[in-house]
Amino acid sequence: MVIRNINLETVCGITSILPDNDKPEIAFAGKSNVGKSSLINALMNRKSYARISATPGKTQTINFYNINEEMYLVDLPGYGYAKVSEKEKAQWGKLIERYLHGSRQLRAIFLLIDIRHEPSANDKMMYRWIVDQGFKPVIIATKLDKLKRSQVQKHVKMVREGLELEKDSVVIPFSSATKQGRDEIWEFVETECLERTEVD
């Protein structure tokens, strides 16, 4: 994917009306410190378009990035580590649920998991919840550069088993530092989401 232009077109909070877009949407979910903003910046070939915060849980909105007037990358609120009230967390959950049920253009959901650790209880809950909404999330195993090359397959297996993935589930190891995995993510988006949309 050659990125020609990017526009942060819509930012939706808890009380916002979600946009009725006419282009394919690709959504990204993950816990608060998993590297979601870094991934989105890497995909967009920008250093700091999506804000990276030292404070987990700063993404409290759904952000719609218009890419080349062809599609949207959709950044969902992070979960897990944010120091916010249970009421706020519940409202974020409802916002995400409203989006998943309300979007007519959502083509895929990528769920980010830290490759270094077994999936947390929150990760497992989010995975099951996305599946229960009728989607089959693609797993992006982040922070790949923190592992030795010899450890990667063992940790990918740990992620697969921890989430109880089906055999054909896609897991893409990714590093925002080296950009390894970036091309594979775009390839999946272009072949499984954009080309399929054109055929449909």
Side-chain angles (χ1 to χ4, degrees), residues 4-160:
R4 294 186 301 278
N5 56 70
I6 302 166
N7 179 28
L8 175 54
E9 192 170 287
T10 313
V11 177
C12 292
I14 290 164
T15 59
S16 302
I17 296 171
L18 292 164
D20 186 14
N21 291 321
D22 61 355
K23 300 174 185 66
E25 297 170 358
I26 313 298
F28 296 85
K31 68 184 176 191
S32 302
N33 64 344
V34 77
K36 192 152 48 65
S37 296
S38 298
L39 166 70
I40 290 171
N41 282 326
L43 290 175
M44 297 191 300
N45 253 354
R46 300 295 189 274
K47 282 191 175 170
S48 56
Y49 204 98
R51 285 185 306 171
I52 299 169
S53 173
T55 308
K58 274 292 185 187
T59 305
Q60 301 178 14
T61 52
I62 299 180
N63 299 331
F64 292 79
Y65 296 93
N66 185 329
I67 308 295
N68 295 343
E69 296 295 329
E70 293 175 20
M71 60 171 291
Y72 291 93
L73 297 184
V74 183
D75 185 6
L76 301 176
Y79 59 85
Y81 283 115
K83 293 181 179 177
V84 296
S85 67
E86 290 302 318
K87 182 183 176 185
E88 263 189 291
K89 286 180 186 176
Q91 287 176 320
W92 291 355
K94 285 178 184 172
L95 175 62
I96 295 172
E97 187 171 3
R98 192 153 57 89
Y99 169 67
L100 294 186
H101 285 300
S103 171
R104 294 182 302 140
Q105 295 293 342
L106 182 57
R107 297 291 183 264
I109 301 175
F110 288 94
L111 177 60
L112 280 63
I113 305 289
D114 188 331
I115 196 171
R116 298 172 299 174
H117 311 296
E118 285 191 29
S120 67
N122 277 322
D123 290 330
K124 293 175 186 178
M125 190 163 60
M126 191 67 178
Y127 175 76
R128 291 297 344 150
W129 186 72
I130 292 170
V131 170
D132 289 344
Q133 306 304 312
F135 294 93
K136 187 172 184 177
V138 176
I139 306 302
I140 299 180
T142 64
K143 305 186 189 280
L144 176 62
D145 52 287
K146 306 291 186 187
L147 294 181
K148 294 176 182 173
R149 188 175 292 181
S150 60
Q151 297 175 301
V152 172
Q153 288 310 312
K154 175 187 167 189
H155 281 253
V156 167
K157 185 181 179 192
M158 180 176 73
V159 169
R160 281 187 172 279

